[in-house]
Amino acid sequence: GQQLNQSPQSMFIQEGEDVSMNCTSSSIFNTWLWYKQDPGEGPVLLIALYKAGELTSNGRLTAQFGITRKDSFLNISASIPSDVGIYFCAGLYNQGGKLIFGQGTELSVKP
Amino acid sequence: EAGVAQSPRYKIIEKRQSVAFWCNPISGHATLYWYQQILGQGPKLLIQFQNNGVVDDSQLPKDRFSAERLKGVDSTLKIQPAKLEDSAVYLCASSLWGGGEETQYFGPGTRLLVL
């Protein structure tokens, strides 16, 4: 079945540093989504990407939909302590289809 | 606007016991999803409802898991009997009409520990 490989698995960074994480798949997706999950909560959508090559920003977050439709990356600039959490990529092949989630990248930010 | 509500938030049971989880989606959302999230993994879809009909239950272990959404609003997910490997967070999500480009809103989840 479809699988997403997300890396790195975890990151420990200093406040103010930039962060980059990515997601790759052996299958193509037509929609890429990035979620953040805080401890004890459900995932919250950060950015949605609908077209190959698309680059979208949401505040300090920037995400890109890979041109091959098999990958996506998320950048966080000037990290702050509240960026701590687990970031998930998710792919969707067609409308009404099910979301496939990556394994998550756990981000820790040291003040 | 109230978010997706789930209860209970935590549950500890012994293997072979039964357990049920409840979800109340965002008002007006036609589509409801149940996900299983095992520690260290991303959520995996168990079942998707469109109003009170099942759209996708291909990953639901039907020998022990069941779910219903009788009136097209609230939903319950049941496990009977539970196994150790069912220990996970069970997330409920809802969306307006279930289109692929739609945002799914997640509840806080129910944390299940099977001993």
Side-chain angles (χ1 to χ4, degrees):
Chain A
Q2 295 169 312
Q3 263 190 311
L4 294 183
N5 295 310
Q6 195 171 342
S7 66
Q9 200 170 351
S10 61
M11 302 181 78
F12 295 85
I13 62 169
Q14 199 77 30
E15 183 177 0
E17 288 183 354
D18 297 345
V19 169
S20 186
M21 58 192 80
N22 68 76
C23 208
T24 59
S25 170
S26 56
S27 310
I28 61 172
F29 287 100
N30 291 319
T31 301
W32 283 93
L33 305 166
W34 284 92
Y35 286 85
K36 180 180 181 228
Q37 186 172 27
D38 291 328
E41 300 297 329
V44 174
L45 183 65
L46 298 173
I47 291 182
L49 303 156
Y50 302 113
K51 224 161 53 164
E54 181 181 352
L55 186 72
T56 296
S57 292
N58 177 7
R60 293 178 296 105
L61 277 60
T62 302
Q64 183 156 30
F65 191 143
I67 200 76
T68 65
R69 294 195 289 159
K70 291 184 178 181
D71 62 340
S72 177
F73 72 75
L74 175 71
N75 284 343
I76 305 173
S77 62
S79 58
I80 59 178
S82 61
D83 291 335
V84 165
I86 303 178
Y87 292 79
F88 290 98
C89 61
L92 184 68
Y93 180 68
N94 55 10
Q95 283 202 9
K98 59 173 167 270
L99 281 181
I100 307 296
F101 282 84
Q103 311 98 309
T105 294
E106 184 168 8
L107 179 64
S108 301
V109 179
K110 189 175 176 183
Chain B
E1 178 184 85
V4 175
Q6 289 188 247
S7 69
R9 292 295 307 271
Y10 304 92
K11 191 75 179 178
I12 301 174
I13 61 173
E14 294 190 347
K15 60 183 179 185
R16 290 188 288 273
Q17 284 187 324
S18 302
V19 65
F21 313 128
W22 174 81
C23 173
N24 186 16
I26 292 174
S27 177
H29 280 195
T31 308
L32 185 147
Y33 313 79
W34 282 103
Y35 288 85
Q36 180 191 58
Q37 185 177 21
I38 292 171
L39 187 65
Q41 298 181 19
K44 182 184 86 170
L45 180 70
L46 293 176
I47 188 166
Q48 176 182 344
F49 290 96
Q50 184 77 13
N51 296 308
N52 59 351
V54 175
V55 173
D56 185 346
D57 63 356
S58 56
Q59 297 190 108
L60 187 74
K62 297 180 188 64
D63 57 334
R64 297 182 301 104
F65 285 65
S66 65
E68 59 184 15
R69 194 185 183 201
L70 292 175
K71 295 180 182 175
V73 181
D74 293 8
S75 176
T76 55
L77 176 70
K78 294 179 183 175
I79 308 175
Q80 180 179 10
K83 292 185 175 180
L84 297 177
E85 60 260 35
D86 298 332
S87 294
V89 176
Y90 290 86
L91 294 163
C92 179
S94 71
S95 64
L96 202 54
W97 56 273
E101 296 184 354
E102 246 193 342
T103 299
Q104 293 185 24
Y105 295 89
F106 285 83
T110 296
R111 276 142 192 82
L112 174 67
L113 179 61
V114 182
L115 301 174

